[in-house]
Amino acid sequence: MTVESWHNAALALRLLAVDPAGLGGAVIRMRASPDRDALLATFRPALPVRKLPITISDEQLFGGIDLSATLASSQVIENKSYFQETCIAQVPMAERCPPALAAKLSQLADQSLTQGFLLIDEGIEPDERTPDTLADRCAFHLAPEGRKPPVPAGTPPSVPAGTEVSTADAVVQLTLLAARFGITSLRAPTLALRTARAHAEIMNRAHLTDTDLEVAASLVYPHRATVVPEDDTPDDPPPPPPAEQDDCPRGDSDENDALPDGDILIDAVKSLLPKNLLDGLVPAGTTRTSQGSGAGQKRTSNRRGRPLPSRPGRLDGASRIDLIATLRAAAPWQPLRRQQQPDRAGLLITPADIRLKRYAEHSDRLLVFCVDASGSAAVSRLGEAKGAIELLLAEAYASRDHVTLISFRGTEAETLLPPTRSLVQTKRRLSALPGGGGTPLAAGLQTAMLTALQNRSKGLTPTVVMITDGRANIALDGTANRAQAGADATQVATALRGQGVAALVIDMSNRPQPALQALATTLDAPYIALPRADAHKLTGAVTAALDG
């Protein structure tokens, strides 16, 4: 499978070089490595390949009037648009492409103003991927497995030409095949037809064959499939009567016979379907049963954990009995019980002998970042606070922890990002975090507490990371009352500590604030002053808070 995936990737890039504008492009999901460089080196189109950064501005993308040059020369001088010079756009880190840029590039592609894309996707998590609007316009999705195999010596084996297929029959076959795999977009069979034509061209054929259709289907359809078709044809279908064979001319078959004999195209696509194709179709928080019927409920804990010594207990239908420990507890009492009940045979076990299995259950951890985005914080050290959060994010990402982001400013707190493991999404929301307004510290603590308790009921272990300058001036009722705001913050902090939620307080003010030190004491949490905090101290503090 590894060799086949690399062969398909090289073939797809070769086809893309033939018709980059018609095929739209390719998504290459690989981390930076010599193997990826070697794969990209095989792409030799006639057009130049230019990098398109995801930070490109509208003036650079669409062009427009160069105001400074126009004013200096008293003549209208326009900037060139990115696609004014014909090229293939290579987009690095396509998984971080903003939705607005993806929509603009898709619009340019629909207007035939582009000549194809190479979207380099370096995402790790399933939700870190190229925007669907761009990926759907690219014919190929390449994710070679393992290391690149060495190029075999000698002449590559020849591919049989196959049976000639008319364009009309090819359209019908590819469209029906897309429907069988749950592909609803009409763009897919169109790209598959162009792929088949490109394959026929590199094979020096002027007409399409069933081999071209098979190659096109195996390259375009697997990553778009949403269902796996069942084999509904009998094993040994009876042959038609000789009279029907003679009277039925070739090419007049009905819709059921539109696919080749033996469903060759379906088998070709099935063999390349992703292993986790159906995982993304399961609703969040459920598990698919082995029979495929229904879904399981959420578990209280994420992992069963290591075994602990068994304990006495009653069978309630949910706990598991420790048979060995139960027999060991009942064995010393057998002679005495035999004297009391001589009529009973076998082991005599009473409810007091029952021992139940126990496990040390370890749930996933959740970092609840509660960030002060008020005006006072923005004036002081909001930028450095974002840098501190990124240090903590790196620690959380290495530990595979969940992260949620809450900001408070004005008169209320807002959840910017629900619990996720996506480092890319968290950094994106954090970089766009504005500053200004009052400091509703109590509202931020209250939202963080509710978020922590809600996710703890789902099996996560939350830790609240409070990052603020401590200048609370907005009370819980939304009024501007500094004294009441401080009292509300202390009250909520006391409730948070009473719930047993771990916390960490980072002082982002220019000078350490005694009020924040008192808040950390109320929370029973470590206190760190940001001006004297380095990466080692920050990561050590969050690790201690998580493990505590």
Side-chain angles (χ1 to χ4, degrees):
M1 188 64 182
T2 300
V3 177
E4 185 179 8
S5 65
W6 281 97
H7 169 75
N8 290 337
L11 177 59
L13 291 182
R14 185 181 177 189
L15 297 174
L16 182 61
V18 173
D19 186 14
L23 296 177
V27 179
I28 303 178
R29 189 174 175 85
M30 295 179 66
R31 303 300 300 274
S33 64
D35 290 339
R36 191 185 74 178
D37 297 338
L39 178 64
L40 292 176
T42 62
F43 182 56
R44 301 185 180 92
L47 300 175
V49 179
R50 292 176 56 199
K51 288 189 177 181
L52 190 153
I54 58 176
T55 57
I56 189 172
S57 63
D58 288 348
E59 290 77 13
Q60 294 171 319
L61 183 62
F62 298 105
I65 298 177
D66 189 338
L67 186 59
S68 59
T70 299
L71 293 177
S73 61
S74 300
Q75 297 180 354
V76 177
I77 298 178
E78 296 185 353
N79 291 322
K80 293 183 178 180
S81 65
Y82 179 88
F83 292 104
Q84 186 170 346
E85 298 179 3
T86 304
C87 66
I88 298 175
Q90 179 176 329
V91 183
M93 295 187 296
E95 77 282 358
R96 301 187 183 184
C97 180
L101 177 60
K104 295 170 186 175
L105 294 178
S106 301
Q107 184 179 13
L108 292 173
D110 293 340
Q111 297 173 355
S112 300
L113 299 178
T114 63
Q115 296 296 321
F117 299 96
L118 274 184
L119 306 177
I120 310 300
D121 188 334
E122 299 183 6
I124 300 177
E125 295 291 335
D127 57 347
E128 298 176 355
R129 64 179 186 271
T130 302
D132 295 336
T133 52
L134 269 180
D136 188 51
R137 287 164 171 79
C138 296
F140 311 121
H141 189 286
L142 312 178
E145 301 176 357
R147 298 296 304 274
K148 186 178 185 299
V151 180
T155 304
S158 59
V159 179
T163 306
E164 182 177 350
V165 180
S166 65
T167 302
D169 289 341
V171 172
V172 173
Q173 293 180 22
L174 293 174
T175 304
L176 291 177
L177 183 64
R180 292 287 297 274
F181 283 91
I183 303 173
T184 58
S185 173
L186 292 178
R187 191 176 284 112
T190 302
L191 293 175
L193 181 61
R194 286 186 172 273
T195 302
R197 288 174 173 171
H199 188 264
E201 182 176 346
I202 66 174
M203 293 299 170
N204 298 320
R205 290 195 296 265
H207 52 78
L208 294 178
T209 66
D210 55 1
T211 301
D212 301 325
L213 300 187
E214 181 179 348
V215 171
S218 63
L219 292 178
V220 177
Y221 286 166
H223 62 279
R224 289 179 164 87
T226 59
V227 298
V228 180
E230 299 179 356
D231 296 327
D232 52 2
T233 56
D235 295 336
D236 297 314
E244 295 183 5
Q245 291 180 349
D246 297 335
D247 297 338
C248 181
R250 184 176 181 179
D252 294 340
S253 58
D254 58 9
E255 182 176 293
N256 295 330
D257 297 331
L259 295 176
D261 294 339
D263 290 342
I264 299 176
L265 297 183
I266 293 181
D267 294 338
V269 178
K270 271 187 178 181
S271 64
L272 296 175
L273 286 178
K275 298 178 182 179
N276 56 347
L277 168 64
L278 299 179
D279 292 351
L281 306 180
V282 182
T286 61
T287 54
R288 189 179 298 276
T289 60
S290 58
Q291 292 82 7
S293 58
Q297 297 180 350
K298 295 180 180 178
R299 296 177 296 178
T300 303
S301 179
N302 300 87
R303 302 179 180 88
R304 193 176 72 171
R306 60 181 180 86
L308 294 176
S310 57
R311 60 175 176 83
R314 293 183 179 182
L315 293 177
D316 54 4
S319 302
R320 300 176 60 186
I321 185 173
D322 190 335
L323 183 59
I324 302 299
T326 300
L327 295 177
R328 187 179 293 122
W333 302 97
Q334 294 304 304
L336 181 59
R337 293 172 184 174
R338 188 69 59 195
Q339 293 177 6
Q340 296 175 351
Q341 300 179 13
D343 299 336
R344 293 187 58 180
L347 292 174
L348 299 178
I349 298 178
T350 64
D353 300 327
I354 300 299
R355 298 294 185 270
L356 302 179
K357 290 184 176 181
R358 294 190 304 157
Y359 298 95
E361 297 181 339
H362 298 285
S363 60
D364 287 347
R365 300 182 294 190
L366 170 67
L367 277 178
V368 182
F369 284 104
C370 193
V371 185
D372 185 353
S374 62
S376 60
V379 170
S380 56
R381 307 174 66 86
L382 180 58
E384 294 185 29
K386 292 181 180 180
I389 295 175
E390 292 202 7
L391 291 176
L392 300 180
L393 285 176
E395 176 74 14
Y397 186 76
S399 303
R400 311 306 297 149
D401 296 325
H402 293 76
V403 173
T404 184
L405 186 60
I406 298 172
S407 72
F408 57 94
R409 68 187 184 110
T411 59
E412 59 185 9
E414 178 186 6
T415 301
L416 299 180
L417 186 67
T420 180
R421 279 180 171 168
S422 174
L423 183 64
V424 175
Q425 288 191 38
T426 309
K427 286 187 176 181
R428 189 179 300 164
R429 300 290 177 89
L430 183 65
S431 61
L433 177 62
T439 307
L441 180 59
L445 279 170
Q446 187 179 58
T447 304
M449 181 176 66
L450 294 176
T451 302
L453 296 180
Q454 180 183 10
N455 287 276
R456 188 167 67 179
S457 65
K458 298 178 181 179
L460 298 177
T461 302
T463 296
V464 175
V465 181
M466 174 63 62
I467 304 177
T468 178
D469 61 359
R471 298 183 178 92
N473 53 19
I474 303 296
L476 278 176
D477 57 4
T479 60
N481 188 329
R482 188 176 298 274
Q484 185 62 38
D488 289 345
T490 302
Q491 182 179 0
V492 178
T494 303
L496 183 61
R497 177 180 178 179
Q499 293 292 336
V501 178
L504 174 67
V505 177
I506 297 179
D507 189 348
M508 60 186 290
S509 58
N510 293 319
R511 296 180 179 179
Q513 297 293 316
L516 274 187
Q517 297 179 11
L519 179 66
T521 303
T522 304
L523 289 170
D524 192 19
Y527 168 82
I528 295 180
L530 186 59
R532 293 191 295 270
D534 55 9
H536 178 73
K537 186 178 294 185
L538 281 173
T539 54
V542 72
T543 302
L546 287 173
D547 295 338

